[in-house]
């Protein structure tokens, strides 16, 4: 797993949402592996923005990196409400988390780039939701 995804996964697994990381868990990097349970969550890092810098007497080293990731939530077929509730609960845990440390890495903030969005049903009739986030991760080296 990429570092950001691993840090967020570890955080979510500790929030009492019924999520566990690992080969027998229900929290995965994208794509869903064939062995994934019907109800599962995937995290995927993508793109980001330019680093944020301090301005003073001179242009300083970056203060933080701006990274983006997506949370994809699904549940068993014909269970729209449970998938929607889990997607919203994950959003509530991550959006505007503020200055915090995840797996020994400081995050200045994580913000939702919109609400959880319903994607429809997959080929097996499982309802899927997606939500994108932007993470402001403190620079660990100059």
């Amino acid at each position: 797993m990429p570092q950001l995804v691993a840090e967020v996964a570890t955080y979510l697994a500790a929030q009492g949402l019924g999520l566990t990381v690992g080969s027998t868990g229900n929290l995965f990097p994208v794509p869903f592996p064939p062995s994934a349970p019907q109800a599962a969550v995937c995290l995927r890092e993508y793109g980001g923005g330019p680093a944020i810098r301090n301005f003073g007497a001179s242009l300083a080293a970056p203060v933080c990196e701006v990274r983006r990731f997506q949370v994809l939530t699904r549940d068993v077929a014909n269970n729209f409400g449970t998938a929607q509730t889990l997607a919203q609960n994950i959003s509530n845990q991550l959006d505007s988390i503020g200055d915090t440390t995840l797996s020994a890495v400081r995050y200045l903030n994580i913000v939702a780039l919109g609400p959880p969005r319903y994607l429809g049903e997959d080929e097996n009739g499982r309802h899927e939701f997606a939500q994108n986030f932007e993470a402001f991760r403190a620079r660990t080296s100059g």
Side-chain angles (χ1 to χ4, degrees), residues 75-84 125 127:
D75 207 327
V76 297
N78 303 315
N79 206 351
F80 177 90
T82 303
Q84 183 181 39
H127 296 282

Side-chain angles (χ1 to χ4, degrees), residues 46 48-49 66-69 109-113 132-136:
Y46 68 93
V66 180
R67 297 183 176 187
R68 289 186 177 173
F69 65 97
N109 204 3
I110 295 175
V111 295
L113 298 176
N132 296 313
F133 292 88
E134 194 163 67
F136 300 87

Side-chain angles (χ1 to χ4, degrees), residues 96-121:
S96 299
I97 198 171
D99 193 352
T100 193
T101 301
L102 305 180
S103 302
V105 176
R106 182 176 176 216
Y107 283 83
L108 304 174
N109 204 3
I110 295 175
V111 295
L113 298 176
R117 180 177 175 177
Y118 181 60
L119 299 178
E121 295 180 12

Side-chain angles (χ1 to χ4, degrees), residues 46-59:
Y46 68 93
I52 295 176
R53 298 177 180 273
N54 266 345
F55 292 94
S58 64
L59 187 61

